[in-house]
Amino acid sequence: MEEKAKTSTISEELREWQARLNESDAKWSKEVEKMNEREAVYNGDRTMQPLVPGDTHLDGTLKKTSHVRNITFENIESQVSSSIPQPKVTPRRKKDEHLADVIEHFLRNELDRLPFEALNDLAERTVPIQGGVGFLVEWDNTKRTSTTVGEVNVTLIHPQQFAPQPNVYTGIADMDYFIVKVPTTKGYVERRYGVLLENEGESEPDVRGGDGSTSDRNLTLYIGYKLNERGGIDRYTWVNDTELENLKDYQARRQPVCKSCGKVKPLPGQEVNGAAYSGGACPWCGGKDWESKTQDFEELYAPVQRSDGTFIGGMQETVDENGQIVQVPVRIPYYRPDRYPIILQRSVSVFGQLLGNSDVDMIRDQQNTSNRIEQKIIDRLMKAGTRITLPDRVDLRTDPEDGERWYIGDPRAKSLIDVYDFSGNLQYELTYLAQVYEEARQIIGITDSFQGRQDTTATSGKAKEFSAAQAAGRLESKRVMKNAAYAELFETMFKFWLAYSDEPRPVTYKDSTGETMYEEFNRYDFLEEGEDGELHWNDQFLFSCDTSAPLASNREAMWQETRQNLEGGAFGDPTDLETLILFWAKMEELHYPGAAQTKKHLEEKAQRQEEMAAQQAAQQADMQGDMPGGGAGVPDELAAAIDAQAQQDAMNAASGQAKGLYMQQ
């Protein structure tokens, strides 16, 4: 592969994007400086800001503490949750309930496929430190299997990688453009864009993190997204002064078309003019040159089967411009997401800020005061100890020797010998240090109960629950913002799948009985005919997060809750076999070890009991059939009279009043 020549002229569009980048950096650079400071404080920065005038070195440089109690790290780590929000999809119409269930199950499968555990772990720390984080959703057409092409990919974008449009704080969706700085390698650029950039250098190594040092093999890739006049999204990609990609309306579908006749290149094996296309020249005009063009419609030459067994597409008859009846394929519109692929998760919303509040900024004063008091305590402890005063004589030693003799000729010299103990009283320092620590926790909303520590203020179980609930209430806003970001993320993922997944994708889930069910996500299921007779895509679904997911993800708590429901009779009689089967089905759904084997054993036992009951019923029927009289049954009236008489005899016998009441009928 040849290296792309670097020309002295730069395209006008590249200059425009570089101007947008410079405009954004001029405004966003102040926020980036704060980000570096926040990361340093979170990682235990030892630099101390002066508490009083003159609290610096003689040359004016800032002092450093030798001991850091990182209360910033402690408070942020206390908020980290490994719970990943689960999707909840609500249809706008009753007839779409099944489609909503398929979307919900499919998104849950996607959460398992993608590395959301790692993404969530990093976001749980970045959001409280910096006030926000971004999720970038892309369609990766290089991920292919034997039956499918492409997958959705989700990556995390640190706020240092942002280059937003200045002075727009309501959200990314309201911006005219947005630029993402992606740290990458020269090898990736060569594989992805087919461009070799051996002589280019890394323009912004800070976006990689680390010590900020440059690398010969790394590059800073700039990806710009811009809202166009049609309402679609343009994408422009460059490195330094080299343009790599310029896609107008990049979320539209592109296909190779013949330069001569303009028809879309058929797929291999597709039937054209009565023969299967095997590649090469255009089967209609013989042209050999193809070019990629945006397509508004998809032509379905062969019928496509939906999940319900119905078909859509295929050839249909129509009249051409000459009045002749011809066969043409059904045309359906391509779906376009038409939205920015970046989703912003804020800590909490703040007026006049793109990102939310940073917890590091909120407790920075308390962290600095804690560092200063800790250093003062260490200095006092190091200076504490025993001091001995002696006369100014070189022959008096303080060696640790027992029975050593001192000869003092002058009585006045004896009065100069004394011992002074400096204990280093830390009462006031420790009291104030504890107060500063509580200030930091109260600002964030962290309590002992929330951290799982012993809470002396809560004397009962209910009191502890109430204390923990109060702490959770202080942090509820952050959870709501996280759920809102994930709801937008789920909607974006669904729309990307609806736009680009041409093949059905498998979907698995557990039904109410714990059995594994298999379905498929077929984008053609969402294609329907409107009142005007035109085909359109049904994307009218409401996306949110399942609020019961945090409890459901706590398996130990769910196991205990399920056992309590069994003991309380919520499933029925706890001794009944069907109740036990239902209980172990729920435990299997909650991934309890050995639940599947236990449920299978109980089901086999129930089956054996049913078979035995059926055999006994058959034997009893055979015995009745062998009775004299050909097995004729006793009349119902007579049987009822006999039963009533037998019950009366039993009552009389029990009370000692039996009188031989068998009477002749």
Side-chain angles (χ1 to χ4, degrees):
M1 181 177 295
E2 297 182 359
E3 182 176 0
K4 188 170 183 176
K6 188 173 182 179
T7 61
S8 58
T9 60
I10 301 176
S11 66
E12 186 64 28
E13 190 152 9
L14 178 56
R15 290 185 184 277
E16 292 179 1
W17 277 106
Q18 290 176 336
R20 294 188 184 105
L21 178 63
N22 294 333
E23 180 186 21
S24 176
D25 286 345
K27 187 78 173 180
W28 192 250
S29 59
K30 298 179 181 178
E31 191 69 28
V32 173
E33 291 178 5
K34 294 180 183 179
M35 294 178 193
N36 294 327
E37 295 174 0
R38 294 166 187 158
E39 295 285 353
V41 173
Y42 172 78
N43 291 320
D45 184 24
R46 299 181 180 275
T47 305
M48 297 186 297
Q49 299 296 325
L51 296 180
V52 294
D55 190 17
T56 59
H57 292 296
L58 294 179
D59 60 356
T61 58
L62 298 178
K63 294 181 179 180
K64 291 189 176 182
T65 181
S66 58
H67 178 84
V68 176
R69 181 184 181 181
N70 202 334
I71 60 177
T72 302
F73 178 87
E74 178 183 339
N75 280 279
I76 289 177
E77 291 298 311
S78 298
Q79 304 175 57
V80 172
S81 172
S82 59
S83 176
I84 300 174
Q86 298 297 308
K88 180 182 178 182
V89 182
T90 304
R92 293 178 181 268
R93 302 175 302 183
K94 183 175 180 57
K95 68 177 183 178
D96 295 333
E97 288 181 350
H98 177 68
L99 292 177
D101 291 338
V102 172
I103 298 172
E104 188 172 309
H105 298 320
F106 183 65
L107 289 174
R108 292 177 187 268
N109 290 172
E110 285 295 283
L111 291 180
D112 292 336
R113 181 184 66 85
L114 294 167
F116 267 94
E117 291 80 6
L119 297 177
N120 177 74
D121 188 69
L122 183 56
E124 281 292 297
R125 290 165 174 83
T126 305
V127 170
I129 294 174
Q130 304 296 354
V133 77
F135 292 94
L136 177 62
V137 181
E138 299 175 294
W139 180 261
D140 188 354
N141 219 40
T142 63
K143 299 294 180 67
R144 304 190 177 197
T145 67
S146 59
T147 58
T148 61
V149 177
E151 288 179 348
V152 164
N153 188 36
V154 180
T155 54
L156 201 69
I157 303 297
H158 193 278
Q160 284 191 353
Q161 299 174 242
F162 289 0
Q165 181 182 0
N167 304 319
V168 179
Y169 308 116
T170 52
I172 296 176
D174 298 324
M175 296 182 180
D176 295 330
Y177 71 87
F178 190 92
I179 301 174
V180 178
K181 306 174 182 179
V182 180
T184 186
T185 63
K186 294 180 179 179
Y188 172 80
V189 173
E190 181 180 352
R191 293 188 302 270
R192 174 68 174 80
Y193 301 99
V195 179
L196 186 61
L197 300 175
E198 281 296 331
N199 297 326
E200 296 293 340
E202 190 176 16
S203 54
E204 294 190 53
D206 290 337
V207 299
R208 279 192 290 112
D211 57 2
S213 60
T214 58
S215 172
D216 294 336
R217 300 305 306 169
N218 290 85
L219 295 171
T220 303
L221 182 69
Y222 298 98
I223 305 177
Y225 301 93
K226 183 173 72 73
L227 192 67
N228 58 32
E229 297 79 6
R230 191 195 63 81
I233 306 295
D234 299 339
R235 186 172 71 185
Y236 190 87
T237 307
W238 78 98
V239 170
N240 296 335
D241 292 335
T242 304
E243 176 186 297
L244 299 178
E245 184 183 59
N246 184 8
L247 292 178
K248 303 298 183 183
D249 207 0
Y250 92 98
Q251 293 177 352
R253 294 293 292 266
R254 286 173 168 77
Q255 288 184 329
V257 299
C258 179
K259 285 186 176 181
S260 300
C261 65
K263 291 188 177 182
V264 177
K265 184 178 182 179
L267 297 175
Q270 180 177 319
E271 186 175 343
V272 180
N273 298 329
Y277 179 70
S278 59
C282 176
W284 289 282
C285 69
K288 297 182 179 180
D289 295 329
W290 304 90
E291 61 180 348
S292 179
K293 278 191 175 182
T294 300
Q295 300 295 318
D296 294 327
F297 292 91
E298 176 184 8
E299 296 180 344
L300 296 179
Y301 287 87
V304 177
Q305 186 175 10
R306 304 195 211 192
S307 300
D308 59 1
T310 61
F311 289 86
I312 187 172
M315 303 300 291
Q316 61 181 2
E317 293 184 351
T318 186
V319 180
D320 62 6
E321 61 274 8
N322 299 321
Q324 301 293 326
I325 298 178
V326 295
Q327 294 281 336
V328 296
V330 173
R331 303 178 71 207
I332 62 174
Y334 275 118
Y335 183 80
R336 299 185 185 184
D338 286 343
R339 59 190 301 148
Y340 282 118
I342 302 125
I343 291 90
L344 178 63
Q345 178 185 340
R346 289 189 177 101
S347 174
V348 291
S349 299
V350 179
F351 181 76
Q353 288 184 203
L354 179 62
L355 301 177
N357 269 339
S358 165
D359 289 351
V360 177
D361 293 345
M362 295 297 102
I363 60 174
R364 180 173 295 185
D365 290 344
Q366 285 71 24
Q367 180 67 69
N368 184 66
T369 302
S370 175
N371 293 345
R372 189 66 187 88
I373 299 300
E374 292 280 4
Q375 186 60 46
K376 184 177 181 180
I377 290 175
I378 291 175
D379 292 340
R380 180 165 297 183
L381 288 175
M382 295 300 295
K383 294 176 181 178
T386 301
R387 303 293 187 270
I388 302 175
T389 60
L390 296 171
D392 190 12
R393 290 172 51 183
V394 297
D395 59 333
L396 298 181
R397 301 179 305 169
T398 59
D399 296 339
E401 263 185 45
D402 292 336
E404 182 181 359
R405 298 178 182 181
W406 285 352
Y407 297 94
I408 302 175
D410 189 353
R412 292 175 300 176
K414 182 178 181 299
S415 63
L416 298 177
I417 301 175
D418 204 347
V419 177
Y420 296 91
D421 290 327
F422 295 90
S423 60
N425 187 2
L426 305 176
Q427 176 184 356
Y428 299 109
E429 286 81 0
L430 292 175
T431 301
Y432 187 60
L433 191 64
Q435 179 180 342
V436 171
Y437 175 70
E438 285 301 319
E439 283 180 6
R441 295 206 308 164
Q442 290 171 9
I443 290 173
I444 303 299
I446 305 296
T447 65
D448 287 333
S449 297
F450 189 81
Q451 290 180 310
R453 300 164 58 179
Q454 182 178 3
D455 187 1
T456 58
T457 62
T459 57
S460 66
K462 284 296 181 184
K464 291 182 184 295
E465 291 180 8
F466 183 72
S467 178
Q470 283 183 318
R474 294 284 304 278
L475 303 173
E476 181 66 20
S477 179
K478 295 179 181 179
R479 283 193 292 271
V480 169
M481 296 304 295
K482 178 180 179 179
N483 288 342
Y486 268 81
E488 185 178 354
L489 176 62
F490 294 145
E491 183 177 3
T492 304
M493 292 171 62
F494 161 68
K495 291 189 174 181
F496 271 62
W497 279 107
L498 193 60
Y500 309 120
S501 62
D502 292 335
E503 309 85 11
R505 306 300 169 110
V507 179
T508 63
Y509 66 95
K510 298 279 188 180
D511 65 4
S512 58
T513 62
E515 297 294 331
T516 302
M517 306 299 293
Y518 298 93
E519 291 186 337
E520 66 179 15
F521 177 89
N522 190 336
R523 74 185 186 101
Y524 294 104
D525 292 343
F526 299 87
L527 194 63
E528 58 184 31
E529 185 175 345
E531 296 179 356
D532 55 357
E534 298 292 332
L535 294 173
H536 66 275
W537 295 97
N538 176 22
D539 61 356
Q540 300 301 307
F541 299 91
L542 303 177
F543 292 83
S544 58
C545 292
D546 188 357
T547 55
S548 64
L551 176 61
S553 63
N554 187 348
R555 293 181 180 176
E556 289 79 6
M558 289 298 296
W559 295 343
Q560 183 179 359
E561 186 79 14
T562 307
R563 289 194 194 96
Q564 292 176 354
N565 289 336
L566 173 67
E567 295 170 358
F571 297 118
D573 184 4
T575 62
D576 186 70
L577 195 56
E578 291 185 0
T579 301
L580 292 175
I581 293 175
L582 177 59
F583 166 73
W584 285 107
K586 296 298 294 183
M587 296 297 280
E588 181 187 8
E589 186 178 350
L590 298 172
H591 302 281
Y592 187 83
Q597 292 82 353
T598 305
K599 186 188 75 169
K600 183 179 180 181
H601 172 74
L602 293 174
E603 289 175 340
E604 293 175 351
K605 183 178 179 180
Q607 185 177 2
R608 289 195 299 269
Q609 290 182 355
E610 291 178 359
E611 292 175 354
M612 291 177 61
Q615 291 177 0
Q616 291 176 358
Q619 292 175 359
Q620 186 175 2
D622 293 341
M623 292 176 61
Q624 291 179 355
D626 295 337
M627 291 176 61
V634 180
D636 293 341
E637 295 80 359
L638 180 58
I642 294 174
D643 289 341
Q645 186 64 52
Q647 292 178 4
Q648 185 64 39
D649 291 345
M651 293 177 60
N652 294 337
S655 60
Q657 298 177 356
K659 297 181 180 179
L661 298 179
Y662 290 101
M663 300 180 65
Q664 200 170 15
Q665 299 293 326

